[in-house]
Each structure stands twice: as C-alpha cells, then as structure tokens.
Amino acid sequence: MGKIAIVIGSGIAGIASSIRLARRGYTVSVFETNSYPGGKLTEITKGGYRFDAGPSLFTLPSLVDELFELCDIDPRKYFNYDQLDETCRYFFPDGKEMVAWSDHEKLASEFEKQLGEPKANISKALKNSAMLYEHLAPLFIEKSLHKAETWLSGKAVSAYSKLNRFDFNKTMNEVNKKRFKQPETAQLFNRYATYNGSDPYQTPATLNIIPHLEFGIGAFFPQGGMHSITQTLYELAQSIGVNFYFNTPVEKIVVHDNKAKGIDTKMGFHKADTVVCNMDMVAAYKTLLKDQHQPKKLLNQPKSSSALIFYWGIKKEFSQLGLHNIFFSEDYKTEFEHIFNKGSIYKDPTVYINITSVKNPADAPEGCQNWFTMINVPNNQGQDWDYLIQYARKAIIKKLSQHLGENIESLIEVEEILDPRLIEQKTSSVAGALYGNSSNNKYAAFLRHPNFSKRIKQLYFCGGSVHPGGGIPLCLSSAKLVDELMNQ
Ligand code: FAD
C-alpha cells in the first residue's frame, strides 16, 4: 500500500504542500476547520461586490506556476496574471501625490518631480535592495536555516564576505532616513516593513530586501483576483487526487515513540506516515501537541502586526484611485494613538485602499468600486476592538472624504469588517497576527520554527508562522522546503 500524508489546514502553504506530496506518490488528505479552502487568502461576496479578503499584493508568481508545472500542466491554461505598470499610488498629507511605476527610470523621475528626491538616491536604494535579495534570498528564503548544508554552501560563503553590507545592526528607518533627502521618500520605503508585519523603527535594515520583490521582480495581479490563487491551486490539488475534509478541525497530532503516527478528529483516528502542519505553529503546540515538549522560546516570541479592514461597496468610481493606493496620514496621527498605543507596529499611520474592480470590473456593479480599506494595527492583546473599530472608521472616513472632496460615508452601500479577533477566529493565527512571529529583532529570521520537528519524526511545518515567514511567496517557499526536507 502507498504512503499516506495528512495536511492540517488548507492555507496556501497547506494546499501547496498537498500538491507536492501527491506528486511524490502519497495519498494525501487535507483537514480544514473552515468550510472553505485558503485560510487568509479567501474572498467575500456581498450585494453584487466581490472583495479579496486578505492579501492584495502578488509577488513571485513563478512559485504558483511551479506547482502546475510539477503536475505537467501548463499554468497558463488555468492561472493567469498581469504585471502591474504602476504598483501603487501614494497620497501625502500635504497634498503631494505620486505613482510608483514599475519602470525604474520612470519611477526615479516621478520621485524627483513629485517629492524632490534626487533620482540617483532611488537608483541606489533599488540596487541595494537587489543586492540584498541576490545574497540573502538563497539562504533565508529558499533553504532551511536549520541544516548545516545551507551554511556550508557556496552561496553562504559568498554572503559571508558581504556581511557588513547587509545592515543587520541598523534599523530600516535609520538607513532610509540617511539614504534619502526627503522624509516622504524614507516614509514610503519604510512602509515595506509592514509587508511582514514589522516596524521600520525596530526591524533591521536588512528588510530593505523587500522592495526588490515589487520593483525588481515585479508586482502582479491575478486575472480573477487574489482569491483565484487559492481557487486554482485547490482545483489543481483535487485534480491530482488530494482529498479535502472541510468543517473538520484536527484535535490532536498522535505521536508514538517520537514519531507522528496520524491525527485525531471528531471522526476518530486517521493514520498517516507523514503529517504536515499548516496551522499556526504556536496554536498547534498549544492544542494539537499539548502533551509534547513545548519550544518555549519560539512560542513566546513577540507576534507580528495585524490588520483592521473595512470592505466597502462604494457607489461611485474615483478615477484618481488605482488598484493599490496608500494615504499617509500623519495629520491625524494623534487620533490613531488609541489604536497604536499597544504593541509594536509601524507608527506612521497609513490607510491602504485596494480596488480590484479597477482591473476586474466584475468585482463591483457598474459605476461602483469595491474598496478594501485597511489600516495596520497591533495584534490582539485584549484591546477594546468594538470601540477602536468605530473610532478608526470615523477617522478613515474623515481623512478620505477630505482628500477626495466627497462625503464617503454616504457612498458606502455594502460593508463588512475584519479585525484581529476575527482573523484569529477564522484562521487560528495567534492574536490575529498576519505573519506569525514578528521580525523586529535582528535574530528573528533565526528564531522562526524550522520546517520540521526536531523531536518528532515525520512531522513537518509549513505556512506563515514558520520558516521562512509570512506572505504568499514565503508560504509557498515553506511548502517547497518541506518537500525538499522529506526527500533528504
Ligand atoms: P493560513 O492562511 O494561516 O491558513 C491556515 C489554515 O489552517 C486556516 O484555513 C485554518 O482554518 C486552518 N486550521 C487552523 N487550525 C486547524 C486545525 N486544528 N485543523 C484544521 N485546520 C486548521 N501576503 C501577501 O503575500 N501579500 C499581501 O498583500 C498580504 N496581505 C495580507 C492582508 C491581510 C488582511 C492578511 C490577513 C494577510 C495578508 N498577507 C499577505 C499574508 C498572507 O495572507 C498569509 O501569509 C498567507 O495567506 C498565510 O497562509 P498559510 O499557509 O500560513 O495559512
């Protein structure tokens, strides 16, 4: 009889793992608490509007393509995406506006024209980001940090010779403040820390690697929206024989003689040769592995930030808004102190609006727009979220109404709200953190849980709470690492 693998959770890394395991010849079953696949990468439909509920920025699409190619299927038959010419529109409190073009020459000219930032500074920043990516991605994203081979490889040796250029000992803000002439440019580049839920005033400047993903490799938009990543991979997994059990939370990982033997659900015991856990690592230790050794240091690491999102169906089209829009909001910083006073987070408030109907008109009724309106907030530490939601809603509406010269509240015809409590409830992510443990400390990359258990054989971990980290590309990478580790 062939080997059996069980995947706990159908987040994007869980689905990717299931595909990889099935291609290795395993009989694969995915157990999922929710009634739908995708975890954070899901969608909301209401009143003629469709919203991508979680991620809005798509980078490294090749990692999705690779899963189709593994199954000898041409990805272009099922999954397509377009590279964005403009990655984001930025709106500053003093009325300055700029478009972040993907073309570097155009981008540098825009910075110079709109913000007075010398073009050379932009080119230098992008080169630095590319250098960081070239040397660090092969170690910190594409390999397990917990295997000696990684540190003895040629790529590691080449990186050692450049250690002083990686800025481990400075914060992102320190480097950006020094690098750029204009505070707005530093503020804009600092924002990339939020891509993994960190604070640029604490996180090492090594995270200046992130802009390379967007500007160097490219930002993309899947035809059909972000949720099509989940949907197409879910269909791909099913087409190669993966079984999905929805509404079926896993209650325990069964371990005998330091080896994972299967799982318990309400249906009883399910035997497996290999178990891959895609559930938040901390939650998994506290519930599914509560009888096992607890890696206390890892479990107690500070968590990344969370998000407060208003999904608004707006009965008007605003031509000045693109797919991604950032409003820097220093002018009402004090109002947001209520929200930012707990936990470590980017303290320069931004309101982020993602409008997929700009690219995909089917996402909103004619003449309307689907606004995914998000502010970064600390993870859940028991704040009075009901009060904060109303507070933030008022402040955001005031800000946007002033900026767009229109009473936004009167244009909202559909509304849904997601807050850190709900994120935790819907995905088991501890404290509603979007990216597992935070990366605010320079050792954070080394303090993520490995993709395997050091104590329990045949137990592997994938997803945003373990190595290499959160975000779709890193989650897909984690599934690839599990595959490689199993093959070793
Ligand atoms: P998760 O999505 O965390 O899913 C885990 C799954 O496990 C869930 O479905 C859960 O129900 C299931 N589960 C948990 N416990 C059990 C159990 N006991 N039994 C069975 N099933 C269980 N990333 C980007 O790349 N770009 C972005 O722009 C971006 N923006 C984001 C915005 C928001 C608002 C959010 C919430 C996230 C964003 N992210 C972004 C992060 C990205 O969504 C996540 O890193 C990624 O989707 C996490 O995938 P995962 O595989 O870790 O699983």
Side-chain angles (χ1 to χ4, degrees), residues 7-14 31-34 36-41 53-59 195 226 248-251 278-280 283 287-288 307 309 311 352 372 374 418 423 425-429 434-435 462-465 469-473 475 478:
V7 179
I8 304 169
S10 69
I12 198 63
F31 290 84
E32 168 58 54
T33 303
N34 293 330
Y36 54 86
K40 299 183 183 82
L41 188 44
S56 44
L57 189 80
F58 183 37
T59 51
Y195 281 29
M226 296 297 287
T248 314
V250 173
E251 291 163 359
N278 174 224
M279 179 185 188
D280 180 282
T287 56
L288 313 189
I309 301 149
Y311 307 90
Y352 170 63
F372 164 106
M374 178 178 91
L418 187 68
I423 294 173
Q425 218 179 79
K426 288 181 162 190
T427 65
S428 301
S429 301
L434 301 191
Y435 305 95
C462 66
S465 66
I472 300 165
C475 287
S478 73

Side-chain angles (χ1 to χ4, degrees), residues 203-248:
T203 204
T206 322
L207 282 194
N208 277 326
I209 189 175
I210 299 175
H212 182 69
L213 283 176
E214 202 169 294
F215 291 117
I217 302 173
F220 299 83
F221 183 69
Q223 290 171 13
M226 296 297 287
H227 181 249
S228 66
I229 304 173
T230 291
Q231 193 55 30
T232 48
L233 289 184
Y234 167 57
E235 285 165 13
L236 174 65
Q238 281 184 310
S239 75
I240 58 168
V242 175
N243 301 301
F244 284 82
Y245 297 90
F246 293 108
N247 302 306
T248 314

